[in-house]
């Protein structure tokens, strides 16, 4: 039993990567640390459970990464995907510190493995967790426990006592009752609001009823909301989020990685009117996969269909669910409950527009359409080899970007721009500082690890003073 009558140095709210990195980092500096995880122990670790890799800069190949990935290249990638919507100081800090995280995280018990193959082609830029996110988390929890970090599960924080920018205590639901925890400093690492459909509806309207949430149902944004209501300055656009196209048959929450569909580049994508609506070959997949959730969200009924033929069936990681299969396009349309004439016309128009080229999905190849709107600018090949296949897809919301504004110490900034006396934030809850929009694979974990470590260090220092 954790003794809540005593005052801790650092209270960490959350139980994912950002929270654990913060807790370990604070504890290693001698702080007395309490972690409050809202989920039960089996579901500990929020969205981090589902992850596979992290993007870190490095000056030379490592035993698992194939080549250098300079700070400048990382920053250029971030600028491109965010279209410049990033806080440059924080982004450069994150990228610089990410180099060190490659070894620091191993010192906390996490193991790397070489990149997995497939359409994301991340062997140079992203390190994969041996055993995936859950194994990574287990290692962090083991280390935290061994160091003496106190951890409570089923400990949802339902209120924060904050006076003029200073954290005093947190009220948590525990068992049948409520109790409070006091600490000299707070690290908020409780994720975004992606699992709060009502909150999503404020910006997306009824369409949000058709969204599937890829990760934990526990990230309801309650801590974020409390902080914003109690004077912390907000950062980011509430409609911006990481959202991918996932199998429409996925469960409402926690479907994880096995429902994601990476085959857009291999075929065409149509809406429920059987019409294409976006360039499926716009850019290399790791830089573009995260726009497809938003694109599908904008279509009628928030549903779309990826159509491809038998030549590419084994070229990508399949969904948990088998693709829908038919010998003709018209028959496929029938199974998808689409207008067969419309779908046949779309496929025929696409095939007629395809120009010959040399196919290579790892580069921006020269296989493209001509005279078609929207075009397919790379990887365009005719759909002409039956059987034909389709995956129905819906927006799969990964995490939201609205967050708390922080400075380089991850200290939260108040609405009047003054730094909070003792409140820090890390992970999804402050991701909007560097991710104004867009995404490049693996940055979610970089944000959690880098800013988590900084937050823990700064909170420990703050508590001591
Ligand atoms: C399917 C999937 C795959 C992904 N793959 C990758 C990947 O390979 N690489 C990558 O970089 N990113 C990936 N991401 C994104 C990544 O998961 C997140 O960016 C990262 O895990 C966020 O870490 P975090 O610690 O901020 O949040 P989380 O890991 O989500 O942790 C938030 C925690 O806060 C707790 N919490 C929430 N509210 C409260 C409350 N009121 N009181 C107490 N606790 C509370 C939750 O229970 C949870 O434990 C993926 C996400 C999903 C859903």
């Amino acid at each position: 039993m954790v003794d809540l009558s005593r005052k801790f140095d650092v209270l960490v709210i959350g139980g994912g990567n950002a929270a654990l990195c913060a807790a370990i980092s604070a504890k290693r500096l001698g702080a007395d640390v309490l972690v409050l995880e809202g989920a039960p122990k089996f579901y500990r670790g929020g969205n981090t459970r589902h992850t596979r890799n992290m993007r870190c800069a490095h000056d030379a190949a490592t035993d698992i990464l194939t080549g250098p990935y300079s700070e400048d290249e990382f920053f250029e990638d971030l600028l491109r995907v965010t279209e410049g919507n990033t806080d440059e100081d924080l982004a450069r800090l994150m990228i610089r510190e990410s180099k060190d995280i490659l070894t620091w995280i191993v010192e906390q018990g996490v193991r790397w493995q070489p990149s997995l193959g497939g359409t994301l082609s991340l062997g140079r830029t992203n390190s994969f967790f041996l055993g995936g996110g859950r194994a990574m988390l287990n290692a962090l929890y083991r280390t935290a426990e061994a160091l003496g970090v106190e951890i409570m599960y089923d400990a949802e924080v339902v209120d924060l006592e904050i006076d003029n920018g200073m954290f005093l205590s947190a009220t948590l639901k525990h068992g049948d009752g409520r109790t409070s925890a006091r600490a000299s400093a707070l690290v908020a690492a409780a994720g975004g609001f992606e699992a709060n459909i009502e909150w999503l509806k404020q910006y997306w309207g009824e369409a949000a009823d058709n969204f599937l949430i890829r990760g934990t149902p526990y990230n309801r944004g309650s801590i974020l909301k409390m902080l914003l209501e109690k004077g912390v300055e907000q950062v980011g656009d509430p409609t911006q989020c990481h959202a991918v196209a996932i199998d429409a048959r996925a469960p409402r929450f926690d479907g994880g990685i096995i429902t994601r569909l990476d085959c857009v580049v291999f075929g065409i994508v149509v809406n429920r009117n059987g019409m294409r609506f976006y360039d499926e070959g716009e850019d290399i997949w790791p830089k573009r996969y995260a726009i497809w959730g938003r694109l599908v969200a904008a279509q009628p009924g928030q549903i779309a269909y990826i159509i491809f033929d038998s030549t590419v069936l084994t070229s990508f990681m399949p969904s948990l669910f088998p693709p829908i299969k038919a010998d003709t396009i018209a028959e496929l349309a029938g199974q998808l409950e689409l207008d067969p004439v419309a779908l046949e016309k779309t496929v025929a128009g696409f095939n007629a527009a395809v120009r010959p080229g040399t196919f290579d999905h790892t580069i921006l190849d020269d296989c493209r359409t001509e005279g078609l709107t929207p075009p397919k600018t790379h990887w365009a090949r005719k759909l002409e080899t039956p059987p034909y296949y389709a995956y129905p897809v819906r927006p799969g919301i990964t995490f939201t970007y609205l967050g708390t504004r922080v400075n380089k110490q991850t200290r939260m900034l108040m609405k009047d721009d003054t730094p909070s006396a003792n409140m820090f934030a890390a992970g999804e809850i402050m991701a909007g500082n560097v991710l104004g929009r867009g995404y490049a694979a693996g940055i979610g974990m970089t944000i959690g690890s880098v800013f988590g470590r900084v937050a823990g260090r700064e909170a420990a220092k703050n508590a001591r003073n």
Side-chain angles (χ1 to χ4, degrees):
M1 273 297 280
V2 177
D3 174 13
L4 289 180
S5 66
R6 78 179 200 263
K7 185 174 176 185
F8 287 84
D9 292 329
V10 177
L11 173 68
V12 179
I13 305 179
N17 175 44
L20 270 288
C21 288
I24 290 171
S25 140
K27 188 73 195 175
R28 287 200 185 281
L29 287 176
D32 195 12
V33 182
L34 172 64
V35 171
L36 296 177
E37 161 61 298
K41 187 170 182 184
F42 181 80
Y43 288 107
R44 71 183 182 185
N47 287 340
T48 303
R49 291 171 303 143
H50 293 293
T51 62
R52 299 185 303 162
N53 60 66
M54 175 153 67
R55 182 177 290 253
C56 293
H58 47 280
D59 294 328
T62 70
D63 46 352
I64 53 126
L65 291 163
T66 56
Y69 184 48
S70 69
E71 289 183 42
D72 283 343
E73 187 183 352
F74 192 159
F75 186 64
E76 286 305 314
D77 284 342
L78 184 64
L79 275 187
R80 181 143 42 117
V81 295
T82 59
E83 295 170 14
N85 284 292
T86 186
D87 177 323
E88 180 165 350
D89 285 347
L90 285 173
R92 287 200 183 273
L93 168 81
M94 174 188 81
I95 291 169
R96 194 166 57 247
E97 296 252 335
S98 77
K99 286 173 150 176
D100 198 39
I101 284 291
L102 272 175
T103 45
W104 183 82
I105 207 90
V106 171
E107 286 157 17
Q108 315 317 319
V110 175
R111 293 285 170 268
W112 298 121
Q113 69 174 60
S115 169
L116 302 173
T119 30
L120 283 183
S121 312
L122 297 168
R124 188 171 63 85
T125 55
N126 289 33
S127 303
F128 280 66
F129 308 120
L130 179 65
R134 206 183 257 268
M136 185 257 188
L137 267 171
N138 288 344
L140 294 183
Y141 271 99
R142 261 196 309 276
T143 300
E145 280 163 0
L147 289 170
V149 171
E150 304 262 26
I151 299 168
M152 288 175 72
Y153 299 103
D154 276 315
E156 183 194 354
V157 173
V158 291
D159 199 11
L160 294 175
E161 192 188 352
I162 293 170
D163 181 25
N164 203 15
M166 176 180 257
F167 167 78
L168 300 172
S169 71
T171 305
L172 53 139
K173 263 202 229 159
H174 199 52
D176 294 333
R178 286 175 183 228
T179 180
S180 71
R182 294 174 305 131
S184 302
L186 170 74
V187 177
F193 68 97
E194 54 274 359
N196 189 333
I197 305 290
E198 289 310 309
W199 194 348
L200 290 172
K201 274 188 179 175
Q202 282 179 28
Y203 314 110
W204 293 92
E206 297 307 305
D209 272 333
N210 288 324
F211 293 176
L212 302 172
I213 313 306
R214 302 177 65 212
T216 180
Y218 295 95
N219 283 3
R220 298 179 46 76
S222 53
I223 301 300
L224 173 61
K225 186 166 254 166
M226 285 172 218
L227 290 167
L228 299 183
E229 282 171 1
K230 290 179 194 245
V232 174
E233 191 184 342
Q234 106 176 23
V235 72
D237 171 348
T239 68
Q240 290 298 332
C241 57
H242 180 288
V244 301
I246 65 166
D247 199 306
R249 298 161 290 184
R252 188 71 195 264
F253 294 103
D254 255 345
I257 194 73
I258 52 175
T259 61
R260 193 179 83 197
L261 284 161
D262 290 344
C263 48
V264 165
V265 292
F266 293 107
I268 60 169
V269 185
V270 300
N271 61 19
R272 75 176 180 198
N273 301 322
M275 310 280 287
R276 289 178 60 248
F277 51 89
Y278 199 79
D279 178 358
E280 300 89 348
E282 187 183 47
D283 200 351
I284 292 288
W285 191 235
K287 312 248 168 64
R288 278 293 170 266
Y289 77 100
I291 65 170
W292 279 89
R294 297 180 74 79
L295 292 172
V296 177
Q299 295 306 306
Q302 294 69 53
I303 189 144
Y305 304 87
I306 307 171
I307 314 281
F308 54 97
D309 72 11
S310 59
T311 56
V312 295
L313 184 62
T314 56
S315 304
F316 54 87
M317 191 169 67
S319 156
L320 170 68
F321 304 94
I324 292 156
K325 177 179 168 187
D327 287 331
T328 65
I329 293 291
E331 207 185 296
L332 190 67
Q335 291 197 48
L336 302 174
E337 297 180 13
L338 301 181
D339 175 0
V341 176
L343 188 61
E344 278 184 323
K345 191 169 165 218
T346 297
V347 173
F350 173 77
N351 284 348
V354 169
R355 294 291 163 262
T358 308
F359 181 82
D360 183 348
H361 75 80
T362 63
I363 56 166
L364 294 173
D365 74 5
D366 59 352
C367 296
R368 59 184 180 83
T369 59
E370 220 172 78
L372 189 69
T373 309
K376 183 169 178 183
T377 45
H378 305 96
W379 315 302
R381 287 188 301 180
K382 293 182 183 181
L383 306 182
E384 56 183 3
T385 312
Y388 299 99
Y389 295 91
Y391 279 113
V393 288
R394 285 206 182 274
I397 313 297
T398 318
F399 67 97
T400 49
Y401 294 173
L402 176 74
T404 57
R405 188 178 286 285
V406 298
N407 66 13
K408 285 202 270 185
Q409 284 82 44
T410 73
R411 198 182 281 271
M412 290 185 227
L413 297 177
M414 307 307 289
K415 289 202 171 90
D416 62 3
D417 247 13
T418 55
S420 155
N422 62 350
M423 301 194 295
F424 302 82
E428 280 178 14
I429 199 168
M430 48 67 74
N433 288 273
V434 284
L435 284 176
R437 60 187 303 149
Y439 191 72
I443 288 188
M445 292 299 277
T446 319
I447 291 171
S449 296
V450 168
F451 292 116
R453 183 165 75 141
V454 173
R457 182 180 71 214
E458 295 299 324
K461 280 201 291 198
N462 196 90
R464 214 175 301 135
N465 292 332

